[in-house]
Amino acid sequence: MKMMKRTLAAAVGLAMLAGLGACGGSRSGDNGSGSEAVGKGATIGVSMPTKSEERWNKDGNNLKSKLEKAGYKVVLSFADDKPAQQNADIENMVNKGAKIVVVASKDGTAVGPAVEKAKDAGAKVIAYDRLIMNTKAVDYYATFQLERTGVLEAQWLIDQLGLESGAKGPFNVELFTGSPDDNNAKYFFKGAWDLLQPYFKSGVLVSPSQHGGGVNKDFKLSDWQKISVQSWKTEQAQKDMESILDSTYAHGEKLDAVLSPYDGISQGVINAIQSKRPDMQPNSPNWPKITGQDAMEISVANISKGLQGQTVFKDVNKLADAVYDMIIELAEGKKVSGLNGKFNNNTIEVPSKLLDPKGITKENLTDLVKANYLTQDRFDQLTK
């Protein structure tokens, strides 16, 4: 498996694994240097993977609004979770003369041919939050510290279970990973598994179900897709969790924690528990510790009610700002600034902007209002 390789700013203070395998050289029109300006009023393509999930609507519309206010034309599309549709959307953007194409891929590999056509037509390509794999046709990548997301989730579970304070358990934990076609999901899990695996090896943590063939001390990072949830879907997570509960927790057995990488998956887990184990009650010792990611509105409500314990907040406003800055610099023929890492997409090292995620619990839930992620009125509606 090719591992990512990135150099972070000193303030981040995270040492990363050295990349494995071949690393392609710079393409013509070298990354990080200035290029010919495309001018204000140019067409910018923005391709999002789906409209069915809250965050992608926010991401796409945030970026569209900022670019239009700056005087650019924007072609925004949502791919309905279909790689073929996303490829067609990107080709349509190129046909409309898009000079810069921003892609949050549904399938990081399947989108390759479309971005190659965009590149051949002279467009710059920016991978948005999800890396585009196995192609040279990616100029830049903007995302959050991916492994840090998993670290925040796992560390919260460790703290809640008292593992660093010497709690011996054994504690029953069930684990989920994100969609198998999303390259980010592997890195989220890596951050979490690096912290949790030692406790599985010592026997303090156990996963008694056979979900994904069983998670134990010998489970490897490369096995992450065995416990994945296709397309991050709530319905699939609920089905999987109901199967886990029926097979392993149907007679009052204690479920201590669930590692969920995303709020939609967390909601599926919650739905399953409420359906199959009504004896479990939130805010009581028999309710499991449940993580999440994206600070979705449903997770804000769930955290306030004690149904979900934690989410990882990735401020999509800041991500849109970071990509907006990239686009403006490219459009004006300037050198792209703020690059603080690289990701290997199995073909080249892609220059990247990496932002910091933040753990959110009931104690700091109002930080979402302070960050202008939610209005106070909306926050009050969700939490009261």
Side-chain angles (χ1 to χ4, degrees):
M1 179 185 68
K2 304 279 195 305
M3 298 298 294
M4 74 177 179
K5 178 182 179 183
R6 51 186 172 169
T7 304
L8 303 178
V12 178
L14 293 177
M16 304 306 299
L17 294 174
L20 300 179
C23 168
S26 297
R27 301 180 303 280
S28 59
D30 56 319
N31 290 312
S33 63
S35 59
E36 185 179 350
V38 300
K40 185 171 289 190
T43 298
I44 310 297
V46 179
S47 174
M48 295 286 133
T50 182
K51 204 170 187 176
S52 65
E53 295 179 23
E54 178 186 316
R55 73 148 299 187
W56 297 118
N57 285 280
K58 285 186 175 181
D59 284 72
N61 286 299
N62 281 348
L63 194 51
K64 181 175 186 288
S65 176
K66 289 177 66 67
L67 288 168
E68 287 179 341
K69 286 179 181 177
Y72 294 88
K73 298 174 184 176
V74 179
V75 180
L76 172 63
S77 67
F78 296 87
D80 195 29
D81 280 319
K82 298 174 182 175
Q85 180 62 51
Q86 187 161 46
N87 284 2
D89 291 342
I90 294 169
E91 291 183 23
N92 180 55
M93 294 170 186
V94 174
N95 292 336
K96 290 184 176 181
K99 300 301 183 183
I100 299 171
V101 177
V102 179
V103 181
S105 58
K106 163 58 186 170
D107 183 321
T109 299
V111 79
V115 297
E116 286 167 3
K117 289 182 180 179
K119 191 69 178 171
D120 289 343
K124 290 287 187 179
V125 177
I126 299 173
Y128 187 103
D129 203 37
R130 295 175 173 178
L131 186 58
I132 299 169
M133 305 300 293
N134 305 324
T135 179
K136 293 183 178 180
V138 190
D139 292 288
Y140 301 99
Y141 179 33
T143 189
F144 293 84
Q145 301 282 3
L146 301 181
E147 290 188 28
R148 179 65 180 161
T149 297
V151 168
L152 289 170
E153 292 167 350
Q155 188 61 55
W156 182 79
L157 290 180
I158 289 169
D159 293 343
Q160 290 296 303
L161 297 174
L163 304 188
E164 290 180 339
S165 300
K168 299 299 182 184
F171 297 101
N172 292 335
V173 182
E174 299 299 332
L175 300 89
F176 292 86
T177 59
S179 189
D181 55 9
D182 185 345
N183 186 63
N184 287 7
K186 173 181 64 179
Y187 293 114
F188 297 147
F189 181 65
K190 182 183 185 303
W193 191 236
D194 283 349
L195 294 187
L196 296 179
Q197 188 178 29
Y199 295 104
F200 276 85
K201 286 185 175 180
S202 68
V204 174
L205 295 182
V206 295
S207 182
S209 77
Q210 289 303 304
H211 175 51
V215 177
N216 55 42
K217 63 182 177 63
D218 297 319
F219 196 81
K220 298 179 177 61
L221 174 62
S222 58
D223 296 326
W224 72 272
Q225 291 177 324
K226 294 179 181 178
I227 54 174
S228 63
V229 178
Q230 182 65 47
S231 298
W232 305 85
K233 290 295 186 182
T234 298
E235 298 80 8
Q236 185 60 54
Q238 180 172 344
K239 181 179 178 182
D240 292 346
M241 191 66 203
E242 287 177 347
S243 177
I244 289 170
L245 292 169
D246 284 341
S247 67
T248 311
Y249 300 92
H251 301 99
E253 293 87 350
K254 180 75 182 298
L255 172 61
D256 294 290
V258 179
L259 176 72
S260 166
Y262 165 61
D263 294 336
I265 292 174
S266 310
Q267 184 62 50
V269 169
I270 292 166
N271 292 344
I273 295 171
Q274 291 180 319
S275 172
K276 295 292 184 176
R277 287 290 303 272
D279 60 302
M280 292 186 184
Q281 293 295 313
N283 298 307
S284 71
N286 70 348
W287 186 262
K289 314 296 184 183
I290 302 173
T291 63
Q293 177 184 181
D294 277 352
M296 292 173 63
E297 290 192 352
I298 189 62
S299 76
V300 174
N302 285 339
I303 289 172
S304 71
K305 298 172 185 175
L307 290 164
Q308 182 175 329
Q310 181 251 25
T311 188
V312 176
F313 174 43
K314 300 189 304 184
D315 193 338
V316 296
N317 295 326
K318 290 184 178 179
L319 184 60
D321 288 346
V323 174
Y324 170 82
D325 291 342
M326 275 186 178
I327 292 170
I328 298 303
E329 288 171 337
L330 287 170
E332 295 178 353
K334 297 178 180 177
K335 181 177 180 179
V336 173
S337 62
L339 300 174
N340 62 344
K342 291 184 178 182
F343 268 82
N344 190 310
N345 75 346
N346 296 336
T347 303
I348 60 170
E349 296 280 335
V350 183
S352 305
K353 281 189 179 182
L354 307 173
L355 308 181
D356 290 324
K358 181 178 183 178
I360 295 291
T361 64
K362 198 169 187 176
E363 285 68 32
N364 65 343
L365 199 54
T366 56
D367 284 0
L368 300 175
V369 177
K370 296 174 185 176
N372 295 316
Y373 182 75
L374 291 172
T375 65
Q376 186 65 56
D377 286 346
R378 185 57 180 156
F379 181 84
D380 291 342
Q381 291 172 5
L382 293 169
T383 59
K384 295 180 181 179

